[in-house]
Amino acid sequence: HAVLYANEVTTPMIKGTETFNENATNTNLIVKVTDGILKIGIKTIGTVTGSWSGADFFKLTYLGDEATLKQELTDSITIATGLKEGATKALIVKAEMNKLTTAIDGGNVALGSTDISIVNGALTALKTAITDARTSIGLCTDLAALFTEATTLIATYKEAYDPTALQAVLDKNLNMYQNQTDQTDNAALVAAKAEMEAALTTYKETVKSDVDV
């Protein structure tokens, strides 16, 4: 069978179509270079009859050395732990907090590995989880402001302008926020923010002819 190789590391090539230049497929592998020499290519292993194999685009990406990656991983674990346990932890919704916790655990496990691909994978997962946690904090902060604005408007103008529609949207999204499940993620926050903004805009349009809101 045909394999992609880099020094002594091999991985089977992914089968594509029988027609050249159609539906190209990607084959990836990770290798640790220890002597400054890297040989790459494709080859066959064992007895092969009537097999065609080809590759026309090799892309090399440097993942980093083990010590540097592990230091970056350690730093990322510290940042992630700070988010998980810090003053703004309540603003990270459950799905994103679970992702952050899993990424921290995975990072700690990866620190004990000598496989650079495992370290790199854990680092990538941590960076994504950190970004998503920070996004969650921002979205929750925005939502809190919208909840406050809606509550204030309803209390101020409910006698003159029917707030039923705005109240329904407020109640719905407050309930989502206050009773989070493991599926409550940033996408849910984005949707809630958009719905709140739309409801507020509609209610403000109702009263703007009489009051500057």
Side-chain angles (χ1 to χ4, degrees), residues 93-96 176 179-186 188-189:
V93 289
K94 278 193 175 182
E96 308 306 337
M176 177 277 297
N179 299 283
Q180 296 175 26
T181 70
D182 288 338
Q183 283 69 51
T184 306
D185 58 7
N186 284 346
L189 296 180

Side-chain angles (χ1 to χ4, degrees), residues 160-179:
Y161 303 96
D162 183 10
T164 301
L166 178 59
Q167 186 69 61
V169 172
L170 174 61
D171 290 344
K172 170 189 173 185
N173 288 296
L174 266 175
N175 180 66
M176 177 277 297
Y177 184 75
Q178 294 172 347
N179 299 283

Side-chain angles (χ1 to χ4, degrees), residues 84-162:
K84 179 183 176 183
E85 300 175 356
T88 56
K89 64 182 180 181
L91 298 178
I92 303 174
V93 289
K94 278 193 175 182
E96 308 306 337
M97 180 62 84
N98 291 341
K99 185 191 301 180
L100 191 66
T101 299
T102 298
I104 292 171
D105 292 342
N108 283 319
V109 170
L111 286 175
S113 175
T114 58
D115 187 333
I116 199 169
S117 64
I118 291 177
V119 177
N120 190 66
L123 179 58
T124 298
L126 258 174
K127 286 181 175 179
T128 299
I130 289 169
T131 297
D132 290 344
R134 286 172 170 164
T135 298
S136 182
I137 291 170
L139 287 168
C140 284
T141 300
D142 292 344
L143 264 182
L146 292 171
F147 292 156
T148 298
E149 183 180 6
T151 300
T152 300
L153 283 173
I154 290 170
T156 303
Y157 301 111
K158 63 182 180 180
E159 298 301 330
Y161 303 96
D162 183 10

